[in-house]
Amino acid sequence: MTGIEIADKGQDFVLWTWNPVTGATGYEADVFRAGTPPSERNAPVHTEEPSLRVDGLEPGTAMEFFVRAVRETVGGRAVGPWSEIAVAETLPEPRECTDERELAIAFGVGTSWGPPVLIEEWNGTPFSFSFDRESVPEDEEPDVQYVLEIVKRLSVKIEQQLEYSVIEVGEWTSQRRACRDGGRRMRNQIVAFVSPETDRGNRLVTAAPNCAEIQYYGGTMKGRRDGTIVHEIFHLFGFTHSPDPLVRSGRPHHSQTPPGDGYPMTTTLTGDYPESDVPATYDDIDALRCILEGAR
């Protein structure tokens, strides 16, 4: 059995899917709370389709899952081998908001790039994310389209969790001059630029929360097909880097802020995302909810 995936999950359900098996007339799935002894498990569940949804679970429950193919014939019943174990955990309950908004609003106070303007502007209308057309070299337009696709995936991920949209992908815009360089800022819009500058001390892209802008530096969009843009977008909402060491790199992010200056990202969103182009976790998005809606 191959291709087992967690197609969807919520606070009270998990949906598994897998690759269909040629000749199978159905499937048997053994699903149970993690750690349940075999003698206490329910009988396997039969399903005709290569998918199974389990409802009625508690938030934050870890579930284990095995599946095998079944073929019913006139001559009898044949079953295939059980799959490898698949584990899924339902989403936890949303947090009780505390100081997330206060910390985020403090991000960059007293600097040339902060504090974030998007928090105060939030009125329930999604912020439009666009690239300034005039700043993008023709050979980097395909890279822009790739980045916009990642932003679209982030938008969907946020909406699925919060049940409302925070960011939407807009059309090309023509701002002509970046706000950080003295240009006029457009309200309720996030604008990305491609700068001709290349010498930024190894920085490939930066965010300016006080202008709701993201700036790539000359030639650095090529190959930046990972979670960098998601990381920078969360900076615009007052998130700072996690103070914890990253799992893969074994060291903190190169740029840290003092305690109390910004709300800390998870280590995943801070930079531990080589295999994900949308590294915002449930906790990051839940904190974003608190920042936008305020303490309750």
Side-chain angles (χ1 to χ4, degrees), residues 127-134 136 144-145 148 151-152 167-175 186 188-192:
F127 297 103
S128 177
F129 182 99
S130 305
F131 269 86
D132 174 62
R133 180 182 288 278
E134 294 186 15
V136 180
V144 165
Q145 294 304 319
L148 292 178
V151 175
K152 185 181 297 184
I167 301 171
E168 63 182 12
V169 176
E171 300 293 331
W172 287 96
T173 187
S174 181
Q175 184 143 330
M186 294 181 286
N188 289 100
Q189 187 164 22
I190 299 170
V191 179

Side-chain angles (χ1 to χ4, degrees), residues 12 42 59 104 106 111 143 148 161 163 188 270 292 294-295:
D12 61 354
N42 295 324
T111 70
D143 301 293
L148 292 178
Q161 181 171 327
E163 298 185 346
N188 289 100
T270 300
L292 295 177

Side-chain angles (χ1 to χ4, degrees), residues 3-205:
I4 299 176
E5 295 183 351
I6 303 167
D8 194 10
K9 65 180 182 178
Q11 293 178 30
D12 61 354
F13 78 92
V14 176
L15 172 64
W16 281 280
T17 60
W18 55 90
N19 293 335
V21 175
T22 302
T25 58
Y27 305 89
E28 281 186 347
D30 190 7
V31 59
F32 48 91
R33 185 188 294 268
T36 303
S39 61
E40 298 179 16
R41 299 175 192 171
N42 295 324
V45 178
H46 180 80
T47 175
E48 294 184 0
E49 300 299 323
S51 64
L52 179 71
R53 174 172 168 139
V54 180
D55 291 282
L57 304 175
E58 294 293 326
T61 301
M63 302 297 294
E64 297 184 352
F65 172 86
F66 297 92
V67 65
R68 64 181 180 182
V70 177
R71 180 174 174 80
E72 303 284 358
T73 66
V74 175
R77 184 173 187 266
V79 297
W82 288 105
S83 68
E84 296 291 327
I85 190 171
V87 181
E89 185 171 331
T90 56
L91 298 179
E93 292 183 347
R95 73 182 70 193
E96 181 177 346
C97 299
T98 55
D99 59 353
E100 294 89 351
R101 182 180 178 90
E102 178 183 355
L103 290 172
I105 289 175
F107 186 51
V109 170
T111 70
S112 61
W113 47 262
V117 296
L118 295 182
I119 299 173
E120 298 294 346
E121 285 185 1
W122 172 251
N123 60 7
T125 302
F127 297 103
S128 177
F129 182 99
S130 305
F131 269 86
D132 174 62
R133 180 182 288 278
E134 294 186 15
S135 74
V136 180
E138 184 176 350
D139 66 340
E140 293 199 63
E141 288 190 12
D143 301 293
V144 165
Q145 294 304 319
Y146 193 97
V147 169
L148 292 178
E149 179 59 33
I150 293 176
V151 175
K152 185 181 297 184
R153 294 176 200 164
L154 172 64
S155 174
V156 170
K157 189 171 185 178
I158 292 174
E159 186 168 4
Q160 287 177 339
Q161 181 171 327
L162 302 187
E163 298 185 346
Y164 58 80
S165 179
V166 174
I167 301 171
E168 63 182 12
V169 176
E171 300 293 331
W172 287 96
T173 187
S174 181
Q175 184 143 330
R176 298 181 182 277
R177 188 180 181 191
C179 164
R180 71 183 79 193
D181 296 328
R184 181 181 178 184
R185 183 184 172 271
M186 294 181 286
R187 188 177 176 85
N188 289 100
Q189 187 164 22
I190 299 170
V191 179
F193 292 82
V194 177
S195 169
E197 295 181 67
T198 56
D199 184 12
R200 295 293 297 179
N202 294 325
R203 289 194 177 189
L204 304 177
V205 56

Side-chain angles (χ1 to χ4, degrees), residues 208-289:
N210 65 323
C211 284
E213 290 179 355
I214 291 173
Q215 188 159 310
Y216 283 88
Y217 293 98
T220 59
M221 290 195 68
K222 296 184 182 302
R224 302 303 299 167
R225 299 184 173 183
D226 53 24
T228 302
I229 188 63
V230 177
H231 172 106
E232 299 300 332
I233 286 173
F234 271 74
H235 275 321
L236 299 183
F237 288 98
F239 283 75
T240 188
H241 302 137
S242 169
D244 300 322
L246 303 187
V247 175
R248 291 189 177 88
S249 67
R251 58 183 174 79
H253 192 280
H254 66 82
S255 175
Q256 299 301 122
T257 53
D261 184 2
Y263 184 80
M265 302 174 181
T266 60
T267 56
T268 300
L269 182 57
T270 300
D272 190 20
Y273 45 76
E275 297 178 1
S276 174
D277 57 14
V278 187
T281 69
Y282 178 91
D283 285 341
D284 292 310
I285 296 173
D286 196 35
L288 177 63
R289 171 185 63 84

